[in-house]
Amino acid sequence: MSPADFFTQGYEALRAPYVPMKWMERMFVEIIDGNPPPLVDLPTGTGKTELVIIWLLALAWYGRDQTKHKPVPRRLVWVVNRRVLVQQVFLIAKDLRARSISNESAKLKTVQNDLRKISGETDEFFRVVELRGQIVQDRDWAIRPTMPQLIIGTVDQIGSRLLFQGYGLGKWGRPQQAGLLGVDSWVAVDEAHLVPAFVLTLRQLRERCSLATGDLPSPFNTVFSRLPFWLTELSATPGLPHPSAEKPFSLTDEEKSDGAIADRILAFNSRRAQIKLLDQANKSDKSKEILPQALIEAAVNYEGMRVAVFVREVAIADKIAAGLKKKGVAQSRICKITGRIRGYERDRLAKQDAFKVFLSERSGPAEGAPAESFFLVGTAAAEVGLDADADIILCDFASLPTLLQRLGRLDRRGTLSRRWADGNGEPPTMRIFIFASQMEIKSGRQETLQSLANALKTDVEPYSAELMAGTHWLAVSEAKGDAEAETSKGEEAKEETSSKNEVDILINAATWSVLDPKDSTCAPPKNWLEGDFSRIAAGPVVSPPVTDAVLDYWSATTEDRSLHLSPHPFLYGLYENEEGTPLVGLAFRLEVEALRKVATSDDEDLDKPDAATEVLEIFERFPPLRAELHFIRLSAAKEWLESPEAEQQPLIFRHHDQWQAKQIGELGGELGRLLGPNATVILPASVVMGKPCKKLLEDCAEAALCDVLDGVSESARYRREIEPATGYTGGAGAFLWDFSAKDGEVPESAAARCDQGKWKPSLTKGLEIGGSKRVFRYFRPMKEEGAEDQYLDDYNGKCGHLSRAEAESARIAEAVAPGDVFLRTLLSAAARQHDEGKRHLKWQRAFGRHGYQPEIAKLVPGLERPAPLHGFRHEWESLRLLADKDVTTPFDIPQAAHSLWRELFFHLVGVHHGHLRPSIVESGLTPGIESDKQNPLRLEVAERFVRLQGLLGRWRLAYLEALLKTADAEASRVTPEEEDDEA
């Protein structure tokens, strides 16, 4: 079968009833030839997210004959801007999930079988993973290195992981996920122009992740040549200098005539932006009344249309939504999206009818459309990356890149443009409402625009592609009125292109395309700040360089992370702006209310844990879910926490990977210095109800509830039930609290609400909330029935953990490097020895072994947590034991590779839990062994790490570690969250 036929048949199986566009087949051929496009520059609405399908089919083609076909990465990492609410790629992913389960066509089975050859597994052939920060995270993907995976994540989540600083991850996860994202992965950055600093960082990482494999020692020069790292930027409005000398992947003339996208191309050339001048009020505060009223009056005049209203300020958006209701618009026809929203609100937003209307295929008032209009009112949260299709856009004046983003939401499918081209109706239009003083243009408008364009062009060479091809900028005066301004039609309207070239120059100059490609620094051109439009245009990008010193520090993941060296500037730039502002996760929980009660000398029970101890235990075992977090500006969090209103409030925060409970007043401003990007702060639930918290949440969407844990997600990692505690009088008149259902038991009151077949009681705590005793019960998903003890060695005819790990490591090695003896023997030997340290009596006792049992490998079923180990690390004991043995190198590998094999063998055994990169603290050393006998080993571990990382590279070494960790986790049949023996 030819590649073209393979692609067409596979596409139809995966995307029916859709047929592939012409450009897709061309991209498919380039990918299977090993030439992924560095930049995809396709017009809005032409389906660039179909790259997901193209990649999956290219990977299946590679799996069909891996010996002859060029490699394609197993993981497509799709990066979206963190403000994105709904992205087309999620819809494609959802459809792929459904088809992979239900579709039984012969064509799809062919694709499935080819993908199974890639993974080496017989059941699953493809997975979709979402790593957006505000939903429940799926970490199981990290122990599926051979599985084809579409990983969808935000800049924060993907960027921090690539830099070995994965937000929310510990010592096990940080190098594990860095290795998997930096090897055998294709990172595609959607809407790349929105995150230029992140793109510049990725370009620097690409040079390190994809170093020439020919310089690697054998056999890794061959192994890693089949595990490439690719980077592609996707943008309809690219703003940085091109990532390479290659031309961007864009539509050819023939492809533009493709019937599947002809209307969308027409829309790209037909959209119009009209400027509506408003009278400037004498007092500045009056402008905040004039603008929303003008937008409301304009919006209600449209019938049977989808009207999007975009503004910069939340307060103005609120006034517009309220004003529409006063005009008689039903609440069900208004969708308001302002500020950052939690995953909790995100899930509910998608169910609103008014929101769904903007995602549908319908467009315009004609051809049977409903007579009622629907309204989308929003700020930047709604205008960026939203796959909404509006018939008319009304907005305030903003920076030119922002206006371009808004314009991308207009007639995305080209229905209105087609009608206009056929002489039926008006062209799709975005009307910009602006005060005359903002433009500083009193007369001679076109001449002034041209003059500004020429001024800004001085010392500036526009590097980006044409940003708004064919858009007509019409200055509409107040005197002419709306009706006259919007009645231009026919050939007269089509000929209004006299200023097109000048405007293109202006747009290019007033966007991110001001970098000097000859210089790595970012400096504005000479006349940038002199231009009248410089204050409303996005400034130049200033991103810190990715140095070897920084990467070496971060890749040593056993070190405590420094707040003074955060990944955030590398993801969003050094200049704080609306998108790049560091964020803090904020949750409101009822449990924290218990910290308000302070015991006195009269009622203090010395035998009972205090409230802080009880609450901290809850959060250590059941940390806040991402879906319940508000994400607020770091500066706003610090300002509020240091205010008098916050002084009397208790809180819980994470510091050095430990939860701490404090009264804010006790910290004396110290908390502000302890918080960094992506920190998490938990406040009492009642705080959100008071006025002092209003300013703290001004950037967040409105929330009906403050503590939303019990409703965040049906797929959450745990559940909580809260009940009143029953009381009774005991001896000597003492009033006792009845906790009749202990840990592991389901109380009758909770049984009706908790599906006992899915959830297992895990923890019960009694806390006093507002003077009332409450019982908090926490449930984890029920594990498979018949869980048995897992032993280190084979027992009673069943394979032990070490045997299973050895077999699993061999399977993984064969999948990623078929026939490679070096990798197979390396992983198998390390897997066989990695847990020998667990035979130590201290570890066996802590994990529940009874004297009559064989030595166990995992926590005995029924025990929630092991006994305290006081820092003892079993992997260190494994390494110490091996140091006294003569480790035999496999005879069937070349003599020249023996030294490298031994180095990697010892390294993999030591770091399989992530605690020896590059060293281990004193408390982790084996009890009873003199430190002077172990310190040389500690130094050797660190030196070995440095040597191997310098030889193989940071990501490739972490990838090899990830393969062994995967074999260990698979042999244990647990998820990474449980794969930790610290107590």
Side-chain angles (χ1 to χ4, degrees), residues 147-223:
M147 177 68 63
Q149 297 181 105
L150 168 61
I151 302 172
I152 307 167
T154 58
V155 170
D156 301 77
Q157 298 298 320
I158 301 301
S160 66
R161 281 162 169 76
L162 267 170
L163 293 169
F164 289 88
Q165 294 292 287
Y167 290 147
L169 300 181
K171 294 178 177 65
W172 190 96
R174 294 203 293 272
Q176 173 84 0
Q177 299 194 17
L180 294 180
L181 293 177
V183 174
D184 202 14
S185 291
W186 183 5
V187 177
V189 185
D190 199 4
E191 305 286 355
H193 58 283
L194 296 177
V195 283
F198 177 57
V199 168
L200 293 180
T201 295
L202 279 179
R203 291 181 183 181
Q204 296 175 76
L205 294 183
R206 177 185 57 193
E207 300 304 316
R208 292 171 167 86
C209 291
S210 57
L211 289 172
T213 55
D215 297 333
L216 296 176
S218 178
F220 293 113
N221 52 354
T222 303
V223 171

Side-chain angles (χ1 to χ4, degrees), residues 898-912:
H898 281 210
S899 175
L900 176 61
W901 190 98
R902 288 176 58 86
E903 287 262 276
L904 283 167
F905 168 75
F906 284 114
H907 176 75
L908 293 179
V909 169
V911 301
H912 77 271

Side-chain angles (χ1 to χ4, degrees), residues 236 295 348 547 779 840:
L295 290 167
R348 282 147 186 79
T547 64
F779 301 81
H840 195 282

